[in-house]
């Protein structure tokens, strides 16, 4: 039973109990009891509406909250599929690169779970690059299982290797961009510390 149907059922049961309780039990006017029952149904339906959440963060106040939630849910599903496919690869070099890609994707997911406002800004990356990474790894596994000719599979392996190298660079750049402010702050503080040490002599 989906959530919307559950909400309807709860509202309907509460409305019927209210109606029969007022109309038959308390002998209220039929139309008054019916009107109040409709109000009860609407109230229960609204109150039982599940909150839009990403991780432990409520996102109701965000613009396009439902769309943001769907983008995040797709990311989590793509990441799971990427991890699963990467773990089944036999070639050690390709497997290492695919698992690295899955780990970076996990880092990105973790950041976005705690910073859902960044999801909209990341939509192109999530829609295109994460889906592309999943497809490349899945296709490699499918073609390996298909037992294509050695020459053709060697070509596939080389292209997959090159694609994974490029994707790992792109994914790492995307992950690091989320933390650029902190990286810049650390670099400034390190430079200031270095200058302070130079001006004040050796630290004793």
């Amino acid at each position: 039973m989906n959530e919307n149907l559950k909400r309807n059922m709860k509202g309907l049961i509460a409305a019927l109990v209210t109606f029969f309780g007022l109309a038959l039990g308390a002998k209220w006017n039929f139309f008054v009891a019916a009107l109040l029952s409709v109000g009860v149904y609407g109230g229960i339906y609204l109150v039982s509406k599940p909150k839009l959440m990403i991780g432990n963060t409520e996102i109701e106040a965000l613009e396009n909250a439902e769309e943001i939630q769907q983008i995040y849910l797709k990311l989590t599903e793509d990441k799971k599929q990427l991890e699963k496919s990467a773990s089944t690869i036999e070639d050690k070099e390709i497997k290492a690169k695919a698992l690295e890609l899955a780990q970076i994707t996990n880092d990105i997911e973790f950041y976005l779970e705690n910073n859902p406002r960044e999801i909209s800004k990341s939509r192109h990356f999530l829609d295109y690059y994460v889906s592309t990474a999943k497809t490349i790894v899945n296709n490699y596994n499918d073609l390996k299982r298909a037992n294509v000719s050695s020459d053709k599979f060697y070509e596939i392996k080389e292209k997959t290797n090159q694609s994974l190298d490029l994707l790992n660079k792109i994914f790492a750049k995307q992950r690091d961009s989320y933390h650029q402010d902190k990286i810049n702050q650390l670099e400034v503080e390190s430079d200031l510390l270095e200058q302070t040490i130079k001006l004040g002599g050796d630290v004793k």
Side-chain angles (χ1 to χ4, degrees), residues 90-201:
E90 295 178 1
D91 185 277
K92 291 183 179 179
E93 184 180 13
I94 291 181
K95 182 173 186 175
K97 292 177 181 180
L99 288 174
E100 180 183 358
L101 194 58
Q103 180 56 56
I104 299 174
T105 306
N106 187 68
D107 295 339
I108 291 170
E109 180 196 10
F110 179 76
Y111 176 83
L112 293 176
E113 180 181 327
N114 292 285
N115 299 272
R117 293 179 182 276
E118 297 294 322
I119 292 175
S120 290
K121 300 176 186 177
S122 307
R123 180 167 189 170
H124 174 69
F125 173 82
L126 300 176
D127 283 346
Y128 178 72
Y129 287 104
V130 176
S131 294
T132 298
K134 179 190 71 173
T135 300
I136 287 173
V137 175
N138 283 345
N139 285 347
Y140 174 84
N141 276 333
D142 289 343
L143 291 168
K144 174 66 175 174
R145 286 191 290 267
N147 291 319
V148 296
S149 63
S150 298
D151 290 344
K152 178 54 68 174
F153 191 72
Y154 177 79
E155 183 182 336
I156 291 166
K157 180 180 174 181
E158 288 300 301
K159 288 183 177 179
T160 301
N161 249 323
Q162 293 169 9
S163 297
L164 290 176
D165 283 338
L166 183 57
L167 284 168
N168 270 313
K169 290 178 182 178
I170 293 170
F171 275 52
K173 184 177 180 180
Q174 179 73 16
R175 177 194 57 197
D176 294 350
S177 70
Y178 295 132
H179 307 282
Q180 193 58 52
D181 288 344
K182 289 183 179 180
I183 291 171
N184 291 340
Q185 183 181 1
L186 178 60
E187 289 175 348
V188 169
E189 290 175 349
S190 297
D191 289 342
L192 286 173
L193 180 60
E194 185 178 345
Q195 291 300 319
T196 300
I197 292 173
K198 285 180 180 179
L199 291 172

